[in-house]
Amino acid sequence: MSNWQHRLPGVRRALDIGCGDGWETAALLELGVDVTGIDISAEALARCRQQSPRARHVLADVRAMPMLADGEFDLAVAQLSLHYFDRDDTRRALCEIARVLAPGGRLIGCVNAEDDWHYGAPDDASSWALTVVDGVAKQFFTREKIEDALAACFDIEHLDKRTLSRYGKPKSVWEFFCTRKAE
């Protein structure tokens, strides 16, 4: 995430969703935050554990995390980990993230944008149909789709399209910062 560290005053407990190689986990640990990294892949979780052994590591699917308590975290980070689902599962994942966030808890993340041509975006990304890219089903988001998905459980404070450099090519993403809706 670009410059997300400035949004962390008061954050003590964070959830790194789809922690993968552990880069966000390591960055949060360096800031003195207690971090739990989750991933659906045991191999990815092992890489994160090697990179950031001080974190808690949990094999979990973001759509159902019963092992995590309601309100357990101040912050959730989802760096390119929420674009593998259709509309219902995207909303299910986001509402499950909101459940494990404390009141006022924040979600920072980014997802594939509809014009992410170098990484398999379809000509028309307006539907919620998944696109298979190199054998993996992925979602590519328009502004309307990401707003729709987030609005179920979050108040959006920032939503902007950015271009990242990823594996030597430009990658188009929607970057978001939002707060868990008050109950």
Side-chain angles (χ1 to χ4, degrees):
M1 305 279 2
S2 69
N3 304 319
W4 51 267
Q5 291 89 343
H6 77 281
R7 299 197 188 267
L8 300 181
V11 171
R12 296 180 338 231
R13 303 157 302 157
L15 177 65
D16 184 3
I17 300 158
C19 58
D21 291 334
W23 299 113
E24 284 76 30
T25 297
L28 288 162
L29 286 168
E30 284 181 27
L31 294 169
V33 176
D34 290 331
V35 183
T36 297
I38 68 161
D39 208 294
I40 198 167
S41 162
E43 294 81 17
L45 207 58
R47 291 192 308 271
C48 185
R49 187 175 288 114
Q50 185 173 13
Q51 166 89 358
S52 301
R54 291 182 305 144
R56 174 181 163 207
H57 301 88
V58 178
L59 186 64
D61 183 327
V62 68
R63 295 169 290 183
M65 302 179 288
M67 73 292 296
L68 302 178
D70 292 0
E72 186 173 342
F73 302 98
D74 306 308
L75 173 74
V77 176
Q79 175 76 353
L80 296 172
S81 58
L82 295 175
H83 53 244
Y84 298 101
F85 312 117
D86 63 16
R87 183 178 189 264
D88 289 344
D89 279 346
T90 298
R91 284 179 151 218
R92 186 174 294 115
L94 288 165
C95 289
E96 183 67 352
I97 294 165
R99 180 190 66 77
V100 302
L101 286 173
R106 296 182 167 150
L107 170 63
I108 295 173
C110 68
V111 292
N112 296 330
E114 75 277 10
D115 59 350
D116 192 21
W117 314 123
H118 292 289
Y119 293 93
D123 291 337
D124 180 5
S126 61
S127 83
W128 279 91
L130 295 171
T131 301
V132 177
V133 179
D134 297 329
V136 178
K138 296 184 179 182
Q139 188 65 247
F140 292 87
F141 287 86
T142 61
R143 175 180 288 277
E144 294 76 18
K145 283 167 54 178
I146 192 63
E147 285 175 340
D148 172 66
L150 288 168
C153 298
F154 289 95
D155 292 320
I156 301 168
E157 295 184 30
H158 168 85
L159 177 62
D160 194 31
K161 192 183 289 184
R162 294 193 51 237
T163 301
L164 309 174
S165 178
R166 200 71 159 183
Y167 311 116
K169 295 186 261 183
K171 176 160 189 60
S172 183
V173 299
W174 284 105
E175 182 178 74
F176 51 86
F177 176 75
C178 38
T179 303
R180 180 187 131 178
K181 283 190 175 186
E183 295 178 11

